[in-house]
Amino acid sequence: MIGIDEFLAMLATERGAARNTLLAYGRDLRQAEEMAGSELAALSAAQLAKLGQGWSSLAPSTMARKISALRQFYGFLIDEGEREDDPTHALPRPATRRPLPKILSHDQVEALFQCAETEAASERAEAVRLLTMLELLYGSGLRATELVSLPLSAVPRDEPFLTVTGKGGQARLVPISSRAKKVLSRWLAVRQTDSRWLFPSRSGHLTRIRLFQLLKDLAARADLPPEKLSPHVLRHAFATHLLEGGADLRALQTLLGHADIATTQIYTHVDAARLVKLVNERHPLARARASD
């Protein structure tokens, strides 16, 4: 019978699932199989119901992830003709609310850049590298993994774009600003290595963990709470501040590399006040009331 390994292989080849997604799904499915005490593909609705009951103490988001993995797994079995029934109707349906992203104010972003630019004025390699990474995280909205794994070949020569490989191995062109290009040039001038990576380390490229550490240290030096800063927070700030400036949601979806615009729509909450003001000031009925 087709099992978990075949399902994960399908996700990788047909849907282009990212490595972290495959690891998470594999872990959830194998844990479910271990809890049930028999082969996952052969479980009944009653057995799945017991699994759901066993997850009752988990956070709603964690339970939702596990249930999503199971629903997709059994859907795959049905598509492959391995099962005729779908036992996942017995699973609970936890209500989840996607958390709103943490954001930085314009003043906080300015404080970060002032600190990073002051330190980079010495042209020390480490300081110029940090400023370059900050420019690309906030100025282009890159994910942490996308940033640290940038090959040197991704750096443009004449065009104002980076070639970025995102989730699922999907490549996209990301525009970079004139100031980011200048900082990139400074970094390339002090980068003394023949590594194929833009941000190399001794064994390959800079790790995500090290990037987190560098940013939190920068936040402390800029008199900001270190817990407020991460690569993802800078990506959120990029999206939020673009929307505040009038960016189109579809354009933002492309810039962020979101496969589904529903993912991008989470950023619209930050512009709620501006939209309410827009309706109150510009809607014909609002103007009619004002003239009464």
PDB file of all heavy atoms in Angstrom, residues 93-124:
ATOM      1  N   ARG A  93     -12.415  20.064  13.781  1.00  0.00           N
ATOM      2  CA  ARG A  93     -12.145  21.226  12.936  1.00  0.00           C
ATOM      3  C   ARG A  93     -11.832  22.417  13.842  1.00  0.00           C
ATOM      4  O   ARG A  93     -12.719  23.223  14.143  1.00  0.00           O
ATOM      5  CB  ARG A  93     -13.331  21.538  12.037  1.00  0.00           C
ATOM      6  CG  ARG A  93     -13.637  20.421  11.040  1.00  0.00           C
ATOM      7  CD  ARG A  93     -14.814  20.769  10.147  1.00  0.00           C
ATOM      8  NE  ARG A  93     -15.056  19.718   9.181  1.00  0.00           N
ATOM      9  CZ  ARG A  93     -14.473  19.626   7.983  1.00  0.00           C
ATOM     10  NH1 ARG A  93     -13.587  20.563   7.636  1.00  0.00           N
ATOM     11  NH2 ARG A  93     -14.753  18.644   7.155  1.00  0.00           N
ATOM     12  N   PRO A  94     -10.580  22.514  14.285  1.00  0.00           N
ATOM     13  CA  PRO A  94     -10.230  23.611  15.211  1.00  0.00           C
ATOM     14  C   PRO A  94     -10.314  24.962  14.521  1.00  0.00           C
ATOM     15  O   PRO A  94      -9.904  25.119  13.378  1.00  0.00           O
ATOM     16  CB  PRO A  94      -8.779  23.282  15.613  1.00  0.00           C
ATOM     17  CG  PRO A  94      -8.250  22.483  14.464  1.00  0.00           C
ATOM     18  CD  PRO A  94      -9.413  21.685  13.952  1.00  0.00           C
ATOM     19  N   ALA A  95     -10.901  25.899  15.221  1.00  0.00           N
ATOM     20  CA  ALA A  95     -10.964  27.263  14.688  1.00  0.00           C
ATOM     21  C   ALA A  95      -9.638  27.947  14.947  1.00  0.00           C
ATOM     22  O   ALA A  95      -9.170  28.016  16.088  1.00  0.00           O
ATOM     23  CB  ALA A  95     -12.095  28.034  15.358  1.00  0.00           C
ATOM     24  N   THR A  96      -9.007  28.412  13.909  1.00  0.00           N
ATOM     25  CA  THR A  96      -7.723  29.090  14.063  1.00  0.00           C
ATOM     26  C   THR A  96      -7.824  30.489  13.495  1.00  0.00           C
ATOM     27  O   THR A  96      -8.535  30.744  12.528  1.00  0.00           O
ATOM     28  CB  THR A  96      -6.595  28.342  13.335  1.00  0.00           C
ATOM     29  OG1 THR A  96      -6.913  28.269  11.940  1.00  0.00           O
ATOM     30  CG2 THR A  96      -6.421  26.945  13.894  1.00  0.00           C
ATOM     31  N   ARG A  97      -7.081  31.353  14.114  1.00  0.00           N
ATOM     32  CA  ARG A  97      -7.004  32.717  13.616  1.00  0.00           C
ATOM     33  C   ARG A  97      -5.536  33.018  13.360  1.00  0.00           C
ATOM     34  O   ARG A  97      -4.711  32.957  14.280  1.00  0.00           O
ATOM     35  CB  ARG A  97      -7.559  33.700  14.646  1.00  0.00           C
ATOM     36  CG  ARG A  97      -7.540  35.137  14.158  1.00  0.00           C
ATOM     37  CD  ARG A  97      -8.083  36.079  15.201  1.00  0.00           C
ATOM     38  NE  ARG A  97      -8.008  37.455  14.755  1.00  0.00           N
ATOM     39  CZ  ARG A  97      -8.323  38.494  15.520  1.00  0.00           C
ATOM     40  NH1 ARG A  97      -8.726  38.290  16.757  1.00  0.00           N
ATOM     41  NH2 ARG A  97      -8.221  39.716  15.050  1.00  0.00           N
ATOM     42  N   ARG A  98      -5.253  33.321  12.121  1.00  0.00           N
ATOM     43  CA  ARG A  98      -3.859  33.569  11.785  1.00  0.00           C
ATOM     44  C   ARG A  98      -3.382  34.821  12.494  1.00  0.00           C
ATOM     45  O   ARG A  98      -4.007  35.886  12.397  1.00  0.00           O
ATOM     46  CB  ARG A  98      -3.714  33.762  10.270  1.00  0.00           C
ATOM     47  CG  ARG A  98      -2.273  33.830   9.843  1.00  0.00           C
ATOM     48  CD  ARG A  98      -2.155  33.747   8.342  1.00  0.00           C
ATOM     49  NE  ARG A  98      -0.765  33.742   7.949  1.00  0.00           N
ATOM     50  CZ  ARG A  98      -0.358  33.606   6.696  1.00  0.00           C
ATOM     51  NH1 ARG A  98      -1.245  33.450   5.738  1.00  0.00           N
ATOM     52  NH2 ARG A  98       0.913  33.614   6.402  1.00  0.00           N
ATOM     53  N   PRO A  99      -2.259  34.733  13.235  1.00  0.00           N
ATOM     54  CA  PRO A  99      -1.785  35.901  13.968  1.00  0.00           C
ATOM     55  C   PRO A  99      -1.326  37.000  13.020  1.00  0.00           C
ATOM     56  O   PRO A  99      -0.774  36.725  11.951  1.00  0.00           O
ATOM     57  CB  PRO A  99      -0.596  35.355  14.782  1.00  0.00           C
ATOM     58  CG  PRO A  99      -0.139  34.155  14.022  1.00  0.00           C
ATOM     59  CD  PRO A  99      -1.375  33.564  13.414  1.00  0.00           C
ATOM     60  N   LEU A 100      -1.592  38.230  13.421  1.00  0.00           N
ATOM     61  CA  LEU A 100      -1.134  39.348  12.612  1.00  0.00           C
ATOM     62  C   LEU A 100       0.383  39.490  12.765  1.00  0.00           C
ATOM     63  O   LEU A 100       0.939  39.250  13.826  1.00  0.00           O
ATOM     64  CB  LEU A 100      -1.828  40.639  13.066  1.00  0.00           C
ATOM     65  CG  LEU A 100      -3.350  40.662  12.895  1.00  0.00           C
ATOM     66  CD1 LEU A 100      -3.906  41.957  13.447  1.00  0.00           C
ATOM     67  CD2 LEU A 100      -3.744  40.473  11.451  1.00  0.00           C
ATOM     68  N   PRO A 101       1.050  39.897  11.689  1.00  0.00           N
ATOM     69  CA  PRO A 101       2.511  40.007  11.766  1.00  0.00           C
ATOM     70  C   PRO A 101       2.964  41.148  12.659  1.00  0.00           C
ATOM     71  O   PRO A 101       2.299  42.182  12.757  1.00  0.00           O
ATOM     72  CB  PRO A 101       2.907  40.272  10.305  1.00  0.00           C
ATOM     73  CG  PRO A 101       1.689  40.877   9.687  1.00  0.00           C
ATOM     74  CD  PRO A 101       0.529  40.227  10.367  1.00  0.00           C
ATOM     75  N   LYS A 102       4.082  40.927  13.324  1.00  0.00           N
ATOM     76  CA  LYS A 102       4.709  42.008  14.066  1.00  0.00           C
ATOM     77  C   LYS A 102       5.272  43.003  13.062  1.00  0.00           C
ATOM     78  O   LYS A 102       5.809  42.614  12.029  1.00  0.00           O
ATOM     79  CB  LYS A 102       5.847  41.473  14.938  1.00  0.00           C
ATOM     80  CG  LYS A 102       5.415  40.507  16.020  1.00  0.00           C
ATOM     81  CD  LYS A 102       6.634  40.009  16.791  1.00  0.00           C
ATOM     82  CE  LYS A 102       6.240  38.997  17.851  1.00  0.00           C
ATOM     83  NZ  LYS A 102       7.438  38.467  18.577  1.00  0.00           N
ATOM     84  N   ILE A 103       5.151  44.271  13.376  1.00  0.00           N
ATOM     85  CA  ILE A 103       5.676  45.275  12.459  1.00  0.00           C
ATOM     86  C   ILE A 103       6.528  46.282  13.211  1.00  0.00           C
ATOM     87  O   ILE A 103       6.414  46.438  14.424  1.00  0.00           O
ATOM     88  CB  ILE A 103       4.552  46.001  11.703  1.00  0.00           C
ATOM     89  CG1 ILE A 103       3.590  46.683  12.694  1.00  0.00           C
ATOM     90  CG2 ILE A 103       3.809  45.061  10.783  1.00  0.00           C
ATOM     91  CD1 ILE A 103       2.544  47.542  12.014  1.00  0.00           C
ATOM     92  N   LEU A 104       7.386  46.961  12.461  1.00  0.00           N
ATOM     93  CA  LEU A 104       8.217  48.026  12.996  1.00  0.00           C
ATOM     94  C   LEU A 104       7.682  49.352  12.485  1.00  0.00           C
ATOM     95  O   LEU A 104       7.207  49.441  11.348  1.00  0.00           O
ATOM     96  CB  LEU A 104       9.669  47.855  12.542  1.00  0.00           C
ATOM     97  CG  LEU A 104      10.427  46.631  13.038  1.00  0.00           C
ATOM     98  CD1 LEU A 104      11.773  46.538  12.335  1.00  0.00           C
ATOM     99  CD2 LEU A 104      10.624  46.681  14.543  1.00  0.00           C
ATOM    100  N   SER A 105       7.793  50.375  13.296  1.00  0.00           N
ATOM    101  CA  SER A 105       7.405  51.709  12.846  1.00  0.00           C
ATOM    102  C   SER A 105       8.489  52.277  11.940  1.00  0.00           C
ATOM    103  O   SER A 105       9.621  51.772  11.886  1.00  0.00           O
ATOM    104  CB  SER A 105       7.211  52.628  14.052  1.00  0.00           C
ATOM    105  OG  SER A 105       8.469  52.886  14.675  1.00  0.00           O
ATOM    106  N   HIS A 106       8.158  53.331  11.237  1.00  0.00           N
ATOM    107  CA  HIS A 106       9.151  53.990  10.380  1.00  0.00           C
ATOM    108  C   HIS A 106      10.322  54.500  11.223  1.00  0.00           C
ATOM    109  O   HIS A 106      11.484  54.436  10.788  1.00  0.00           O
ATOM    110  CB  HIS A 106       8.500  55.142   9.619  1.00  0.00           C
ATOM    111  CG  HIS A 106       7.522  54.693   8.579  1.00  0.00           C
ATOM    112  ND1 HIS A 106       7.897  54.362   7.299  1.00  0.00           N
ATOM    113  CD2 HIS A 106       6.182  54.513   8.636  1.00  0.00           C
ATOM    114  CE1 HIS A 106       6.832  53.998   6.598  1.00  0.00           C
ATOM    115  NE2 HIS A 106       5.779  54.078   7.393  1.00  0.00           N
ATOM    116  N   ASP A 107      10.021  55.026  12.413  1.00  0.00           N
ATOM    117  CA  ASP A 107      11.087  55.541  13.279  1.00  0.00           C
ATOM    118  C   ASP A 107      12.025  54.425  13.728  1.00  0.00           C
ATOM    119  O   ASP A 107      13.244  54.625  13.820  1.00  0.00           O
ATOM    120  CB  ASP A 107      10.482  56.229  14.506  1.00  0.00           C
ATOM    121  CG  ASP A 107       9.834  57.565  14.159  1.00  0.00           C
ATOM    122  OD1 ASP A 107      10.129  58.106  13.072  1.00  0.00           O
ATOM    123  OD2 ASP A 107       9.023  58.062  14.968  1.00  0.00           O
ATOM    124  N   GLN A 108      11.466  53.260  14.026  1.00  0.00           N
ATOM    125  CA  GLN A 108      12.307  52.137  14.458  1.00  0.00           C
ATOM    126  C   GLN A 108      13.201  51.651  13.309  1.00  0.00           C
ATOM    127  O   GLN A 108      14.365  51.328  13.524  1.00  0.00           O
ATOM    128  CB  GLN A 108      11.423  51.006  14.969  1.00  0.00           C
ATOM    129  CG  GLN A 108      10.764  51.307  16.303  1.00  0.00           C
ATOM    130  CD  GLN A 108       9.749  50.255  16.709  1.00  0.00           C
ATOM    131  OE1 GLN A 108       9.016  49.717  15.869  1.00  0.00           O
ATOM    132  NE2 GLN A 108       9.689  49.946  17.988  1.00  0.00           N
ATOM    133  N   VAL A 109      12.651  51.605  12.113  1.00  0.00           N
ATOM    134  CA  VAL A 109      13.462  51.214  10.957  1.00  0.00           C
ATOM    135  C   VAL A 109      14.577  52.240  10.741  1.00  0.00           C
ATOM    136  O   VAL A 109      15.728  51.882  10.471  1.00  0.00           O
ATOM    137  CB  VAL A 109      12.587  51.100   9.693  1.00  0.00           C
ATOM    138  CG1 VAL A 109      13.449  50.915   8.443  1.00  0.00           C
ATOM    139  CG2 VAL A 109      11.618  49.935   9.824  1.00  0.00           C
ATOM    140  N   GLU A 110      14.239  53.510  10.875  1.00  0.00           N
ATOM    141  CA  GLU A 110      15.245  54.564  10.702  1.00  0.00           C
ATOM    142  C   GLU A 110      16.358  54.428  11.738  1.00  0.00           C
ATOM    143  O   GLU A 110      17.541  54.604  11.424  1.00  0.00           O
ATOM    144  CB  GLU A 110      14.571  55.931  10.830  1.00  0.00           C
ATOM    145  CG  GLU A 110      15.502  57.119  10.606  1.00  0.00           C
ATOM    146  CD  GLU A 110      16.091  57.170   9.208  1.00  0.00           C
ATOM    147  OE1 GLU A 110      15.455  56.641   8.268  1.00  0.00           O
ATOM    148  OE2 GLU A 110      17.200  57.716   9.060  1.00  0.00           O
ATOM    149  N   ALA A 111      15.995  54.102  12.984  1.00  0.00           N
ATOM    150  CA  ALA A 111      17.008  53.921  14.028  1.00  0.00           C
ATOM    151  C   ALA A 111      17.941  52.767  13.696  1.00  0.00           C
ATOM    152  O   ALA A 111      19.163  52.842  13.913  1.00  0.00           O
ATOM    153  CB  ALA A 111      16.324  53.687  15.380  1.00  0.00           C
ATOM    154  N   LEU A 112      17.393  51.685  13.167  1.00  0.00           N
ATOM    155  CA  LEU A 112      18.221  50.543  12.766  1.00  0.00           C
ATOM    156  C   LEU A 112      19.211  50.932  11.689  1.00  0.00           C
ATOM    157  O   LEU A 112      20.400  50.619  11.756  1.00  0.00           O
ATOM    158  CB  LEU A 112      17.337  49.408  12.251  1.00  0.00           C
ATOM    159  CG  LEU A 112      16.622  48.523  13.269  1.00  0.00           C
ATOM    160  CD1 LEU A 112      15.676  47.577  12.549  1.00  0.00           C
ATOM    161  CD2 LEU A 112      17.635  47.724  14.086  1.00  0.00           C
ATOM    162  N   PHE A 113      18.724  51.634  10.671  1.00  0.00           N
ATOM    163  CA  PHE A 113      19.597  52.012   9.570  1.00  0.00           C
ATOM    164  C   PHE A 113      20.648  53.028   9.992  1.00  0.00           C
ATOM    165  O   PHE A 113      21.793  52.975   9.536  1.00  0.00           O
ATOM    166  CB  PHE A 113      18.769  52.550   8.401  1.00  0.00           C
ATOM    167  CG  PHE A 113      18.308  51.473   7.465  1.00  0.00           C
ATOM    168  CD1 PHE A 113      17.046  50.924   7.592  1.00  0.00           C
ATOM    169  CD2 PHE A 113      19.138  50.987   6.471  1.00  0.00           C
ATOM    170  CE1 PHE A 113      16.618  49.919   6.747  1.00  0.00           C
ATOM    171  CE2 PHE A 113      18.718  49.981   5.618  1.00  0.00           C
ATOM    172  CZ  PHE A 113      17.455  49.443   5.749  1.00  0.00           C
ATOM    173  N   GLN A 114      20.277  53.950  10.851  1.00  0.00           N
ATOM    174  CA  GLN A 114      21.259  54.927  11.329  1.00  0.00           C
ATOM    175  C   GLN A 114      22.411  54.234  12.034  1.00  0.00           C
ATOM    176  O   GLN A 114      23.582  54.562  11.812  1.00  0.00           O
ATOM    177  CB  GLN A 114      20.590  55.941  12.261  1.00  0.00           C
ATOM    178  CG  GLN A 114      19.774  56.993  11.541  1.00  0.00           C
ATOM    179  CD  GLN A 114      19.207  58.036  12.492  1.00  0.00           C
ATOM    180  OE1 GLN A 114      19.368  57.929  13.718  1.00  0.00           O
ATOM    181  NE2 GLN A 114      18.553  59.044  11.952  1.00  0.00           N
ATOM    182  N   CYS A 115      22.075  53.267  12.889  1.00  0.00           N
ATOM    183  CA  CYS A 115      23.102  52.523  13.606  1.00  0.00           C
ATOM    184  C   CYS A 115      23.968  51.721  12.642  1.00  0.00           C
ATOM    185  O   CYS A 115      25.203  51.759  12.713  1.00  0.00           O
ATOM    186  CB  CYS A 115      22.441  51.603  14.633  1.00  0.00           C
ATOM    187  SG  CYS A 115      23.608  50.686  15.667  1.00  0.00           S
ATOM    188  N   ALA A 116      23.333  50.996  11.721  1.00  0.00           N
ATOM    189  CA  ALA A 116      24.070  50.160  10.779  1.00  0.00           C
ATOM    190  C   ALA A 116      24.945  51.001   9.846  1.00  0.00           C
ATOM    191  O   ALA A 116      26.084  50.627   9.538  1.00  0.00           O
ATOM    192  CB  ALA A 116      23.097  49.317   9.964  1.00  0.00           C
ATOM    193  N   GLU A 117      24.431  52.141   9.396  1.00  0.00           N
ATOM    194  CA  GLU A 117      25.203  52.998   8.492  1.00  0.00           C
ATOM    195  C   GLU A 117      26.384  53.643   9.202  1.00  0.00           C
ATOM    196  O   GLU A 117      27.467  53.775   8.621  1.00  0.00           O
ATOM    197  CB  GLU A 117      24.283  54.063   7.901  1.00  0.00           C
ATOM    198  CG  GLU A 117      23.311  53.509   6.864  1.00  0.00           C
ATOM    199  CD  GLU A 117      22.213  54.493   6.501  1.00  0.00           C
ATOM    200  OE1 GLU A 117      22.138  55.565   7.159  1.00  0.00           O
ATOM    201  OE2 GLU A 117      21.429  54.200   5.585  1.00  0.00           O
ATOM    202  N   THR A 118      26.175  54.023  10.455  1.00  0.00           N
ATOM    203  CA  THR A 118      27.280  54.606  11.225  1.00  0.00           C
ATOM    204  C   THR A 118      28.405  53.590  11.394  1.00  0.00           C
ATOM    205  O   THR A 118      29.582  53.907  11.222  1.00  0.00           O
ATOM    206  CB  THR A 118      26.781  55.070  12.607  1.00  0.00           C
ATOM    207  OG1 THR A 118      25.786  56.078  12.434  1.00  0.00           O
ATOM    208  CG2 THR A 118      27.926  55.627  13.436  1.00  0.00           C
ATOM    209  N   GLU A 119      28.042  52.352  11.713  1.00  0.00           N
ATOM    210  CA  GLU A 119      29.055  51.309  11.888  1.00  0.00           C
ATOM    211  C   GLU A 119      29.735  50.951  10.570  1.00  0.00           C
ATOM    212  O   GLU A 119      30.936  50.667  10.537  1.00  0.00           O
ATOM    213  CB  GLU A 119      28.410  50.076  12.513  1.00  0.00           C
ATOM    214  CG  GLU A 119      27.910  50.308  13.931  1.00  0.00           C
ATOM    215  CD  GLU A 119      27.143  49.125  14.507  1.00  0.00           C
ATOM    216  OE1 GLU A 119      26.882  48.166  13.759  1.00  0.00           O
ATOM    217  OE2 GLU A 119      26.817  49.156  15.708  1.00  0.00           O
ATOM    218  N   ALA A 120      28.978  50.968   9.474  1.00  0.00           N
ATOM    219  CA  ALA A 120      29.541  50.603   8.171  1.00  0.00           C
ATOM    220  C   ALA A 120      30.442  51.687   7.598  1.00  0.00           C
ATOM    221  O   ALA A 120      31.188  51.429   6.642  1.00  0.00           O
ATOM    222  CB  ALA A 120      28.420  50.288   7.185  1.00  0.00           C
ATOM    223  N   ALA A 121      30.384  52.890   8.165  1.00  0.00           N
ATOM    224  CA  ALA A 121      31.243  53.980   7.674  1.00  0.00           C
ATOM    225  C   ALA A 121      32.723  53.649   7.827  1.00  0.00           C
ATOM    226  O   ALA A 121      33.567  54.177   7.109  1.00  0.00           O
ATOM    227  CB  ALA A 121      30.914  55.274   8.413  1.00  0.00           C
ATOM    228  N   SER A 122      33.037  52.732   8.730  1.00  0.00           N
ATOM    229  CA  SER A 122      34.430  52.300   8.929  1.00  0.00           C
ATOM    230  C   SER A 122      34.911  51.400   7.799  1.00  0.00           C
ATOM    231  O   SER A 122      36.107  51.130   7.688  1.00  0.00           O
ATOM    232  CB  SER A 122      34.533  51.523  10.248  1.00  0.00           C
ATOM    233  OG  SER A 122      33.776  50.313  10.165  1.00  0.00           O
ATOM    234  N   GLU A 123      33.983  50.911   6.965  1.00  0.00           N
ATOM    235  CA  GLU A 123      34.254  49.975   5.864  1.00  0.00           C
ATOM    236  C   GLU A 123      34.777  48.621   6.376  1.00  0.00           C
ATOM    237  O   GLU A 123      35.398  47.874   5.621  1.00  0.00           O
ATOM    238  CB  GLU A 123      35.232  50.567   4.836  1.00  0.00           C
ATOM    239  CG  GLU A 123      34.691  51.782   4.113  1.00  0.00           C
ATOM    240  CD  GLU A 123      33.395  51.503   3.350  1.00  0.00           C
ATOM    241  OE1 GLU A 123      33.261  50.402   2.788  1.00  0.00           O
ATOM    242  OE2 GLU A 123      32.513  52.404   3.335  1.00  0.00           O
ATOM    243  N   ARG A 124      34.541  48.328   7.659  1.00  0.00           N
ATOM    244  CA  ARG A 124      34.832  46.976   8.147  1.00  0.00           C
ATOM    245  C   ARG A 124      33.902  45.996   7.438  1.00  0.00           C
ATOM    246  O   ARG A 124      32.713  46.244   7.275  1.00  0.00           O
ATOM    247  CB  ARG A 124      34.625  46.879   9.650  1.00  0.00           C
ATOM    248  CG  ARG A 124      35.668  47.565  10.505  1.00  0.00           C
ATOM    249  CD  ARG A 124      35.495  47.250  11.986  1.00  0.00           C
ATOM    250  NE  ARG A 124      34.146  47.550  12.459  1.00  0.00           N
ATOM    251  CZ  ARG A 124      33.225  46.642  12.742  1.00  0.00           C
ATOM    252  NH1 ARG A 124      33.495  45.334  12.586  1.00  0.00           N
ATOM    253  NH2 ARG A 124      32.025  47.005  13.165  1.00  0.00           N
TER     254      ARG A 124
END
